[in-house]
């Protein structure tokens, strides 16, 4: 079964370790500007919300790509960009309803989360478990359990 | 190699921007950040010039580990000559600004001269511009950041700026970055204001690379992260923040109260870490969440909000939002030392410190001094513009915080700092300062090692440049404390030079910093080498101060702490034993009994 990233913004402290781990894994450099996961801060840091690609089953980006640069990794379910094929037309960035595919002007290609081939580094380094990597069919399990407790206490 | 090997130098008088290579020889001797900036300051200015004159140099410096995955890698230091003390000022800050400066491709920023008109510096990787600040001069820190982000259409930009206090030369004005993190102490914001520089706005997308051995670096990082994750002290910081200290200091009897007349405060449990987490009578809870600086896996920062029904903000909706909450030093300075037990008033005063760009420690202790002068009749209601400046009056706290921040009325006097204020009103003995800088939240008589640290700190009274806490808690006497004071000063000078935060010392020893530097920087970095860099930095700071005109006579405490016994607590009856500790300290340092490093010491450290 595939796994998916689960994000719990209430736990996020905005340390950006995940952004650094992402850029280090993909580009070999600590550079939040190159991270495929982003933390958004609101109200002087009252909330910090991590956001990245959810790996849609029928991915708009993949279908929109005119040169088939985006393909499914069958072992992880991730939609991966093949940089050798990508022509940098940016149609996928328009097609994605969530904004999680982005163009990088230095390479002339797009970049998106690829689940690091099944070992997502953001989840690995997150010190608060705001990002976890769990069975895709049970991403709601923890939240469901918490709700159950709330409903019956 | 995690350096960018590049410095940005800005001559504000001429409006010239130049780039130069980082001096790697100096980096090898001083590590980076605090130490390296001290060396650059020493080489670039005459220490005798007035701190507020164009001849002063203002340096923003990152460390070799700033912007890496090492935990707490967001630190940068602001180093200059301080207007409160006339000594070297070295203030460091977290948040996200420091890492962004490094990501833009610069290790250090050197600001010289004085701009003929108000300006801000805009750095977008290699594009650097000095731009007119007409539209933000006179604005708060918060409005400045908002204006810059929207004007440049860059929500990801990071900003360090000064408020109205810094523009007007409030002696302890600070530099605030990311809304509520600050290079807080020693008036570095006043120096920035004296240069007509309102803000530095940075966007960096170059990143930081480890050339030496990325794999080895990541292995050390993983290990040191785990040490922090497992550490009990770290867990306490995450849960309670630094304000857990208030409870300990209250119990021990070292919590400065009523301008250091007492060491225990009746209302302590109303402003401590637990009070922040407890619902008040109408169900409002002060603390919302905790928050990290860049790269930090501790997250001791507090995000709080003020009860909307509280008198301070009931009619001021613009403050109904969350922001940085109380930490130990703010809880003491905006609380116990002024006799204030109103958590909402203290939190609001904390907001104002950030919004207007002021050091809460120096502000609070100056206000406490003014309150004592008021109660003695040396300051009158006419002077204060009708404000009842009594200990315990939360309105006096918040009105004065605002008036000082906006530089109006009696706020201009509070903006002088305790030393100048107490002199002006005829009672210099009531200023709770060393070298003109206010004490932090620990009484020297109860914590003798801390007292020696205050006295010998090169930036004036400061709790962050040494660590004799464990020894002080164990024993209220003075013996055996000069050595740990000296040793910890050297260690911390080294740690402050790495780009990391000293709160990691909850879990890490100096060797853990050394192995992170060793994995990232060229050459072999042993613990001993790192320690020696710290000692070198400490001695160079001392040399700067001596050249600036400070002498052994400045290494002293106010009479109150040397003569009046502690009234209560564990150390009841103690005065500070400075005369016994200082000669031992000088000797350990390899300084003469005049407090001057001997030629041998300078030679040993490569400073002659
Ligand atoms: S590593 Fe975790 S806590 Fe830190 S910013 Fe990312 S999601 Fe938030």
């Amino acid at each position: 079964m595939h796994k998916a990233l689960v994000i719990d913004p209430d736990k996020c402290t905005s340390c950006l370790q995940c952004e650094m781990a992402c850029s280090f894994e993909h580009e070999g450099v600590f550079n939040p500007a190159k991270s495929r996961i982003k933390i958004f801060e609101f109200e002087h840091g009252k909330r910090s919300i991590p956001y990245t690609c959810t790996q849609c089953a029928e991915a708009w980006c993949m279908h929109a790509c005119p040169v088939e640069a985006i393909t499914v990794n069958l072992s992880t379910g991730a939609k991966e960009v093949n940089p050798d094929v990508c022509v940098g037309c940016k149609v996928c960035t328009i097609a994605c309803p969530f904004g999680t595919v982005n163009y990088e002007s230095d390479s002339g290609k797009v970049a998106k989360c690829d689940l690091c081939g099944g070992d997502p580094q953001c989840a690995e380094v997150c010190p608060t478990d705001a990002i976890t990597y769990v069975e895709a069919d049970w991403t709601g399990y923890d939240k469901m359990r918490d709700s159950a407790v709330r409903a019956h206490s | 190699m995690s350096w960018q090997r590049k410095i940005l130098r800005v001559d504000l008088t001429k409006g010239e921007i130049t780039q130069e290579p980082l001096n790697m020889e100096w980096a090898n001797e001083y590590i980076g950040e605090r130490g390296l900036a001290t060396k650059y300051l020493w080489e670039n200015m005459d220490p005798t010039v007035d701190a507020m004159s164009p001849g002063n140099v203002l340096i923003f410096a990152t460390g070799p580990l700033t912007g890496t995955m090492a935990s707490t890698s967001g630190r940068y230091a602001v180093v200059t000559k301080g207007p409160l003390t006339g000594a070297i000022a070295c203030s460091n800050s977290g948040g996200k600004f420091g890492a962004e400066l490094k990501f833009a491709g610069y290790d250090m920023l050197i600001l010289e001269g004085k701009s003929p008109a108000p300006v801000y510096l805009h750095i977008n990787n290699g594009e650097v511009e000095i731009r007119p600040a007409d539209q933000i001069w006179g604005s708060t820190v918060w409005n400045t950041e908002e204006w810059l982000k929207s004007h440049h259409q860059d929500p990801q930009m990071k900003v360090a700026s000064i408020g109205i206090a810094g523009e007007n030369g409030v002696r302890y004005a600070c530099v605030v970055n990311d809304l509520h993190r600050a290079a807080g102490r020693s008036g570095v914001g006043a120096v920035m204001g004296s240069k007509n520089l309102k803000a530095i706005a940075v966007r960096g997308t170059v990143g930081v690379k480890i050339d030496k051995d990325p794999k080895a670096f990541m292995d050390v990082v993983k290990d040191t992260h785990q040490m922090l994750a497992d550490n009990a002290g770290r867990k306490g910081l995450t849960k309670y923040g630094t304000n857990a200290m208030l409870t300990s200091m209250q119990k021990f009897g070292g919590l400065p109260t009523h301008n250091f007349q007492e060491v225990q405060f009746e209302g302590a449990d109303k402003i401590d870490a637990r009070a922040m987490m407890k619902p008040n009578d109408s169900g409002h809870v002060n603390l919302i969440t905790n928050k990290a600086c860049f790269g930090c896996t501790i997250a001791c920062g507090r995000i709080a909000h003020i009860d909307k029904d509280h008198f301070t903000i009931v009619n001021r909706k613009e403050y109904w939002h969350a922001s940085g909450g109380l930490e130990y030093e703010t809880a003491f300075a905006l609380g116990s030392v002024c006799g204030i037990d109103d958590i909402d008033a203290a939190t609001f005063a904390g907001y104002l410190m950030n919004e207007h760009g002021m050091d809460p420690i120096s502000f609070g202790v100056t206000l406490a001094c003014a309150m004592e002068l008021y109660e003695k009749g040396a300051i009158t209601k006419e002077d204060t513009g009708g404000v009842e400046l009594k200990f315990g009056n939360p309105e006096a706290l918040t009105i004065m915080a605002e008036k000082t921040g906006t530089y109006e009325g009696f706020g201009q006097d509070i903006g002088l700092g305790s030393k100048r204020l107490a002199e002006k009103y005829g009672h210099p003995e009531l200023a709770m300062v060393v070298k003109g800088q206010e004490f932090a939240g620990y009484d020297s008589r109860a914590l003798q090692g801390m007292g020696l640290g205050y006295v010998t700190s090169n930036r004036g009274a400061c709790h962050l440049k040494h660590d004799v806490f464990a020894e002080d808690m164990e024993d209220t006497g003075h013996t055996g404390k000069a050595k740990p004071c000296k040793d910890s000063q050297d260690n911390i000078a080294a740690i402050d030079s790495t780009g990391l935060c000293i709160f990691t010392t909850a879990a890490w020893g100096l060797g853990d910093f050394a192995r992170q530097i060793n994995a990232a920087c060229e050459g072999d970095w042993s613990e001993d080498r790192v320690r020696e860099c710290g000692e070198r930095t400490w001695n160079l700071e001392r040399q700067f101060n001596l050249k600036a005109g400070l002498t052994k006579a400045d290494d002293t405490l106010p009479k109150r702490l040397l003569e009046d016994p502690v009234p209560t607590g564990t150390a009841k009856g103690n005065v500070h034993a400075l005369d016994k500790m200082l000669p031992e300290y000088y000797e350990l340092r390899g300084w003469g009994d005049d407090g001057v490093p001997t030629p041998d010491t300078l030679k040993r450290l490569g400073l002659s």
Side-chain angles (χ1 to χ4, degrees):
Chain A
M1 186 190 290
H2 290 152
K3 287 177 144 193
L5 290 171
V6 174
I7 285 168
D8 181 351
D10 286 343
K11 290 184 179 156
C12 176
T13 59
S14 191
C15 70
L16 306 195
Q17 282 282 341
C18 53
E19 294 193 6
M20 281 191 283
C22 180
S23 61
F24 185 76
E25 171 74 17
H26 294 100
E27 320 271 346
V29 60
F30 302 121
N31 188 358
K34 289 261 157 86
S35 172
R36 293 130 190 231
I37 183 163
K38 277 249 124 306
I39 310 301
F40 296 90
E41 277 191 44
F42 302 92
E43 207 186 317
H44 287 221
K46 179 177 171 182
R47 295 208 83 195
S48 306
I49 306 183
Y51 201 74
T52 189
C53 172
T54 56
Q55 314 294 349
C56 317
E58 283 294 329
W60 282 270
C61 61
M62 185 168 70
H63 292 307
C65 178
V67 294
E68 292 182 19
I70 302 178
T71 52
V72 188
N73 176 327
L74 292 174
S75 73
T76 61
K79 312 301 170 295
E80 296 178 351
V81 179
N82 183 342
D84 295 337
V85 180
C86 175
V87 293
C89 73
K90 312 182 197 69
V91 171
C92 56
T93 68
I94 300 165
C96 173
F98 309 107
T100 56
V101 195
N102 283 284
Y103 180 67
E104 286 189 333
S105 44
D106 345 344
S107 62
K109 317 272 175 191
V110 296
K112 69 178 284 300
C113 171
D114 59 3
L115 296 175
C116 301
D119 182 18
Q121 291 303 297
C122 54
E124 171 73 23
V125 298
C126 177
T128 64
D129 289 336
I131 310 170
T132 48
Y133 192 50
V134 305
E135 281 185 24
D137 288 9
W138 284 105
T139 55
Y141 188 84
D142 283 349
K143 211 190 268 179
M144 206 166 164
R145 188 192 49 210
D146 291 349
S147 306
V149 170
R150 265 200 308 278
H152 296 281
S153 56
Chain B
M1 182 55 222
S2 54
W3 286 119
Q4 307 288 16
R5 292 180 180 246
K6 211 190 296 165
I7 289 181
L8 196 60
R9 188 184 287 268
V10 180
D11 183 329
L12 290 158
T13 309
K14 295 191 197 132
E16 267 173 24
I17 300 164
T18 47
Q19 292 186 5
E20 65 191 55
L22 186 72
N23 187 322
M24 290 312 296
E25 209 176 292
W26 294 351
N28 283 331
E29 287 167 6
Y30 292 91
I31 307 173
E33 206 191 335
R34 171 177 165 189
L36 192 53
T38 301
K39 174 67 173 168
Y40 270 91
L41 193 75
W42 175 256
E43 298 288 345
N44 279 273
M45 74 175 277
D46 170 5
T48 63
V49 302
D50 187 279
M52 303 286 271
S53 74
N56 197 1
V57 171
L58 180 68
I59 300 179
F60 285 65
T62 66
L65 298 177
T66 305
T68 69
M69 265 176 83
S71 185
T72 73
S73 69
R75 307 302 295 185
Y76 74 97
V78 183
V79 177
T80 186
K81 179 171 174 170
L84 204 51
T85 57
I88 192 165
C90 165
S91 248
N92 75 41
S93 178
K96 304 204 160 87
F97 174 85
E100 196 76 15
L101 181 63
K102 189 99 171 267
F103 293 145
Y106 308 100
D107 303 309
M108 197 185 277
L109 178 58
I110 301 178
L111 300 150
E112 301 170 323
K114 175 184 180 173
S115 169
V119 291
Y120 68 93
L121 191 67
H122 182 223
I123 303 172
N124 185 3
N125 296 328
E127 293 161 32
V128 185
E129 276 184 300
I130 300 169
R131 299 178 66 103
D134 317 352
Q135 294 192 64
I136 39 176
W137 197 256
S139 296
T140 66
V141 163
W142 293 351
N143 289 338
T144 297
E145 178 161 334
E146 198 182 314
W147 185 88
L148 285 166
K149 285 181 171 172
S150 89
H151 183 74
H152 289 279
Q153 297 186 322
D154 186 357
Q156 299 190 71
M157 141 196 292
K158 306 291 181 286
V159 176
S161 68
I162 57 167
I164 301 161
E167 293 173 13
N168 287 289
V170 164
R171 295 258 163 185
Y172 45 81
C174 62
V175 175
V176 179
N177 56 276
D178 306 288
L179 302 175
H180 48 76
R181 305 308 312 180
R185 300 225 67 195
S186 308
V188 295
V191 174
M192 189 156 151
S194 76
K195 299 193 169 306
N196 264 333
L197 181 64
K198 178 68 180 174
I200 302 165
V202 189
R203 178 82 175 116
T205 61
V206 176
V208 170
K209 215 167 175 158
I210 306 284
D211 293 332
K212 191 180 185 184
D213 185 347
K215 164 130 192 359
F217 182 72
M218 292 304 271
D219 286 346
V220 180
V221 160
K222 199 168 176 192
D223 193 42
T224 44
H225 276 209
Q226 195 59 46
M227 289 172 80
L228 277 169
D230 297 340
N231 181 269
R234 191 285 303 164
K235 287 179 192 165
L237 273 172
T238 305
K239 184 161 182 202
Y240 297 108
T242 57
N243 202 14
M245 183 59 83
L246 199 134
T247 316
S248 317
M249 275 304 106
Q250 166 70 0
K251 212 165 131 209
F252 184 73
L255 177 65
T257 304
H258 302 131
N259 200 31
F260 294 76
Q261 296 179 89
E262 287 119 53
V263 292
Q264 283 170 319
F265 177 48
E266 253 187 2
D269 61 350
K270 296 196 181 131
I271 53 168
D272 65 10
R274 284 182 197 281
M276 290 171 74
M277 298 162 112
K278 237 178 13 214
N280 68 8
D281 292 345
S282 43
H284 175 87
V285 180
N286 179 273
L287 182 69
I288 299 173
T289 186
N290 67 320
K291 167 99 181 154
C293 294
F294 183 90
C296 173
T297 59
I298 304 174
C300 73
R302 306 287 100 180
I303 301 295
H305 58 167
I306 302 157
D307 189 339
K308 293 184 178 71
D309 292 327
H310 191 259
F311 80 87
T312 48
I313 64 161
V314 65
N315 294 316
R316 301 179 75 176
K317 253 190 153 164
E318 68 272 26
Y319 292 105
W320 287 12
H321 61 78
S323 193
L326 293 177
E327 305 185 10
Y328 174 53
E329 289 302 330
T330 38
F332 128 80
L334 309 172
S336 68
V337 83
C338 296
I340 308 283
D341 64 4
D342 180 331
I343 195 167
D344 285 303
T347 305
F348 180 58
Y351 275 33
L352 295 171
M353 294 298 122
N354 292 326
E355 189 185 18
H356 296 299
M358 292 186 289
D359 168 16
I361 301 180
S362 282
F363 166 81
V365 175
T366 304
L367 183 66
C369 173
M371 285 173 160
E372 191 173 352
L373 287 163
Y374 185 87
E375 294 198 346
K376 283 199 155 54
I379 287 175
T380 65
K381 218 168 177 170
E382 268 135 66
D383 297 320
T384 66
V387 178
E388 191 76 79
L389 212 61
K390 284 199 166 142
F391 285 117
N393 179 3
E395 274 186 307
L397 168 74
T398 57
I399 291 171
M400 282 308 154
E402 199 142 27
K403 284 199 182 299
T404 310
T406 52
Y407 206 60
E408 286 167 60
F410 193 68
Q412 298 187 352
D413 275 2
I414 300 286
L416 292 169
S418 314
K419 178 171 168 254
R420 291 170 178 83
L421 178 94
E423 272 164 11
K424 179 171 175 179
Y425 290 95
H427 287 274
E429 76 284 3
L430 297 186
M432 294 300 120
V433 299
V434 174
K435 301 182 175 66
Q437 174 158 289
E438 289 73 11
F439 291 111
Y442 305 88
D443 191 287
S444 304
R445 295 163 294 186
L447 294 94
Q448 299 272 327
M450 176 68 76
L452 181 65
Y454 283 143
V455 166
T456 53
S457 155
N458 290 313
R459 70 169 182 179
C462 166
H463 62 298
L464 291 168
K465 306 288 187 205
H466 59 271
D467 182 5
V468 203
F469 190 73
E471 290 83 352
D472 276 340
M473 287 291 97
E474 216 157 84
D475 154 27
T476 56
H478 70 274
T479 43
K481 291 189 179 168
K483 174 106 170 68
C485 180
K486 182 253 172 203
D487 289 347
S488 61
Q489 286 173 337
D490 294 343
N491 289 357
I492 288 173
I495 294 166
D496 280 349
S497 302
T498 60
L500 308 183
C501 174
I502 58 164
F503 286 178
T504 53
T505 55
W508 300 347
L510 192 65
D512 296 307
F513 293 91
R515 60 195 178 110
Q516 294 182 77
I517 296 171
N518 190 50
C521 296
E522 267 163 35
D524 291 322
W525 293 83
S526 65
E527 184 176 338
D528 283 343
R529 174 174 171 191
V530 169
R531 182 181 293 110
E532 194 187 74
C533 290
E535 189 182 1
R536 185 175 294 122
T537 297
W538 191 273
N539 279 274
L540 189 59
E541 289 174 341
R542 179 76 175 182
Q543 289 292 85
F544 183 98
N545 286 352
L546 293 169
K547 215 167 159 191
L550 278 79
T551 66
K552 180 187 175 174
D554 297 295
D555 294 343
T556 190
L557 287 167
K559 224 169 88 201
R560 174 166 288 167
L561 305 180
L562 294 171
E563 292 176 10
D564 301 353
V566 181
T568 61
T570 320
K572 190 172 170 188
N574 258 15
V575 293
H576 193 267
L578 186 62
D579 54 340
K580 301 193 184 71
M581 298 174 94
L582 199 57
E584 186 188 351
Y585 173 88
Y586 283 171
E587 198 182 323
L588 286 164
R589 277 251 165 252
W591 297 354
D593 47 20
D594 52 357
V596 177
T598 62
D600 280 353
T601 300
L602 293 177
K603 195 164 160 228
R604 177 172 60 81
L605 296 168
L607 290 172
S608 23

